[in-house]
Amino acid sequence: MAHIKPALVENIRKDIENLNMYNETPGEGITRILFTEQELKARKYIKKRMREVGLEVEEDAIGNIYGTLKGSNPRLSPVWTGSHIDTVPHAGSFDGMTGVVGGIEALRVIKESGLRHERNIQVIVFTSEEPTRFGKGCLGSRAMAGDLTRNGTNYLVDEDGKTLSKVLDELGYNNEQFHLIKKEKGDVYGCVELHIEQGAILERLGKKIGIVTAISAPTDLIIEVEGTQEHAGATPMPVRRDAMAAAAKIIIGIEGMARTSDNPSMVATVGKLDVFPGATNVIPGMVRFTVDMRSDNFKEKEQIINKIEVLSNAIGDIEGVKTSIRIVSHEYPAVADAHIVEVMKGVCDSQRKEYNLMVSGAYHDSMFVSRFAPFSMIFVPSRGGISHHKDEWTDYEDIKSGVDVLAETLLIMSNEKENTERNE
Ligand code: HGY
Ligand code: MN
Ligand code: MN
């Protein structure tokens, strides 16, 4: 086939650096939280770049941004790529940005190569992939999958007590159109997301391309431990109902459950913990902490939740505290589409790039897209496997190489007639 022009490293580097100028913590990593001033400016920048590349730009009622490269047969269902531009606090420069900037560059080279493609090709900026502001991730793709309704946005509350619903209203999003966000099977022909690996497997193997075969899914819990707030000096040990001591025993138990699992994709993290009243000389009356669990096996996550309930009740009885567990999210693992994986293997072979088939430990918007469309992902190496950290790094040459695989894959898919061997 006539060749697509190569992606330009310079474009990728410039866009990622410019995008990361919109940052609340310069010098201490990137912090760009959903619908804050910096994130809104970043959105504007991306829309400008999409237009400069010649894409039609639209936005839906939860702020998912769609940059469309028109095909010759726009009635066919489109091919998607894309990722996110919001971050965890003090993040690195590449998590999410790689797939948005890389997607725009892929569409640019397809357009400028003048090669015919039937289907529209769209690069999406998914709203709020990170759970940073509202405690739940993938809000934009979740709404596309029908997992988040307009009413549901009234129950997502940030640390200032503001609901997502209120934030959307204040920004002028039209809640009458919220129902139009939802996608049905068949609305999207297929989706390929470019993302940094966020682990060190590619680096260890000396390979530059990962082809994702499945995504481990998150289960997020909030556990509250209620004891008795008392004087740290005057209260003898035997009569204490110390919420912190009890919480610590539960946390160690949870860590042990994940560590002793024989499933390498089973991981559990307590990343946030609040202590009340939080004074050095007061026995904590209440402790609240988050549990972020991941596995490619949904049943195993169910079993671990049961074990956590049994452990919490037992520790509660022993320590004389009350425990409660709230399930914030409980997602199904996503299996990539065999046909798209085959297409990408063929593209890597033709571009003479060694690849590694792999499961993603991190979740991505593609996990929700998989509910209505076939998907896979392209990983590019993370130096030292570092991510969700200011030292996160991926060579721009490696991103360019991933974009070249992405561009050719999108072009092939955009000229495919029907869904071949889909693993629905
Ligand atoms: O946590 C994750 O896996 C993703 O980076 N939000
Ligand atoms: Mn992330
Ligand atoms: Mn990400």
Side-chain angles (χ1 to χ4, degrees):
M1 87 186 289
H3 273 279
I4 309 179
K5 290 183 179 163
L8 296 179
V9 175
E10 198 36 37
N11 285 352
I12 296 166
R13 190 190 56 72
K14 183 175 59 54
D15 272 345
I16 287 181
E17 288 179 357
N18 288 347
L19 192 51
N20 286 327
M21 306 284 274
Y22 305 111
N23 173 17
E24 284 145 41
T25 55
E28 292 159 28
I30 309 290
T31 302
R32 195 167 42 244
I33 310 298
L34 175 69
F35 292 145
T36 57
E37 186 203 354
Q38 294 303 326
E39 202 248 6
L40 292 170
K41 285 181 182 167
R43 284 169 166 267
K44 265 207 188 99
Y45 175 80
I46 285 294
K47 288 181 194 171
K48 178 174 84 59
R49 286 294 298 129
M50 286 178 168
R51 289 191 186 99
E52 284 168 357
V53 160
L55 307 181
E56 277 180 23
V57 179
E58 294 163 287
E59 194 169 350
D60 67 20
I62 198 171
N64 292 310
I65 300 168
Y66 302 75
T68 304
L69 179 63
K70 282 277 190 214
S72 54
N73 194 345
R75 283 189 329 286
L76 293 173
S77 54
V79 173
W80 274 14
T81 186
S83 197
H84 60 98
I85 60 170
D86 67 302
T87 72
V88 295
H90 304 287
S93 304
F94 300 92
D95 172 6
M97 287 63 97
T98 299
V100 171
V101 168
I104 292 171
E105 179 62 4
L107 270 57
R108 183 190 69 77
V109 298
I110 290 173
K111 181 171 190 303
E112 292 187 9
S113 304
L115 295 166
R116 190 179 142 72
H117 57 96
E118 300 237 344
R119 300 172 184 278
N120 288 352
I121 307 174
Q122 294 182 298
V123 52
I124 319 282
V125 180
F126 294 99
T127 287
S128 193
E129 191 273 350
E130 298 293 2
T132 314
R133 181 165 182 180
F134 288 101
K136 204 170 206 179
C138 299
L139 299 183
S141 51
R142 203 183 278 271
M144 290 173 175
D147 257 25
L148 174 61
T149 60
R150 173 68 185 151
N151 182 46
T153 62
N154 293 307
Y155 300 96
L156 290 169
V157 190
D158 69 10
E159 291 186 343
D160 300 329
K162 212 171 203 182
T163 64
L164 174 59
S165 166
K166 185 125 180 59
V167 172
L168 289 169
D169 288 346
E170 285 172 356
L171 291 170
Y173 287 103
N174 179 352
N175 63 29
E176 298 308 316
Q177 297 195 336
F178 198 92
H179 65 288
L180 299 176
I181 301 170
K182 189 166 180 323
K183 302 286 177 273
E184 305 303 336
K185 280 189 190 276
D187 285 353
V188 176
Y189 177 71
C191 178
V192 179
E193 179 176 0
L194 172 66
H195 203 283
I196 56 171
E197 178 199 340
Q198 300 181 291
I201 296 171
L202 289 175
E203 187 179 65
R204 220 179 23 249
L205 295 172
K207 293 186 177 177
K208 296 288 187 185
I209 298 283
I211 295 178
V212 170
T213 55
I215 300 175
S216 258
T219 289
D220 290 294
L221 310 176
I222 291 183
I223 297 182
E224 282 193 2
V225 179
E226 210 173 323
T228 308
Q229 177 178 329
E230 286 184 300
H231 195 292
T235 311
M237 292 311 283
V239 297
R240 292 180 176 213
R241 290 155 29 99
D242 182 338
M244 180 58 116
K249 289 171 185 158
I250 296 170
I251 292 168
I252 296 297
I254 293 170
E255 201 260 355
M257 291 172 201
R259 195 174 283 284
T260 52
S261 162
D262 51 17
N263 175 354
S265 86
M266 179 73 229
V267 290
T269 312
V270 174
K272 263 175 99 171
L273 182 139
D274 298 310
V275 188
F276 300 90
T280 52
N281 59 350
V282 180
I283 301 170
M286 208 271 271
V287 169
R288 180 183 302 124
F289 60 89
T290 60
V291 181
D292 172 317
M293 227 194 308
R294 311 282 175 103
S295 172
D296 59 5
N297 177 332
F298 188 77
K299 217 168 150 1
E300 181 183 25
K301 291 200 293 181
E302 301 262 74
Q303 289 159 355
I304 297 266
I305 290 175
N306 292 337
K307 284 186 192 169
I308 292 173
E309 278 164 356
V310 170
L311 174 69
S312 303
N313 292 335
I315 299 281
D317 294 346
I318 298 163
E319 302 284 339
V321 298
K322 225 161 94 298
T323 61
S324 67
I325 298 172
R326 184 157 65 88
I327 298 179
V328 175
S329 72
H330 191 25
E331 313 306 350
Y332 285 92
V335 177
D337 178 74
H339 172 67
I340 297 178
V341 169
E342 284 310 307
V343 168
M344 289 209 283
K345 285 162 73 174
V347 168
C348 287
D349 292 344
S350 72
Q351 293 186 11
R352 278 195 273 287
K353 290 170 182 169
E354 274 199 289
Y355 57 84
N356 180 52
L357 297 175
M358 54 207 292
V359 174
S360 172
Y363 63 76
H364 304 281
D365 289 301
S366 295
M367 184 176 70
F368 283 96
V369 171
S370 75
R371 299 277 190 78
F372 54 84
F375 89 99
S376 181
M377 295 181 71
I378 299 169
F379 273 175
V380 287
S382 294
R383 187 176 60 191
I386 297 168
S387 184
H388 282 188
H389 187 286
K390 66 179 176 52
D391 296 342
E392 177 185 276
W393 180 264
T394 297
D395 288 346
Y396 287 109
E397 271 300 336
D398 289 346
I399 299 175
K400 176 252 189 295
S401 173
V403 173
D404 287 338
V405 172
L406 175 67
E408 192 158 346
T409 302
L410 296 174
L411 184 66
I412 291 170
M413 289 169 66
S414 67
N415 286 314
E416 287 186 330
K417 286 278 167 285
E418 68 286 327
N419 288 351
T420 46
E421 341 125 34
R422 290 280 184 252
N423 53 351
E424 295 295 321

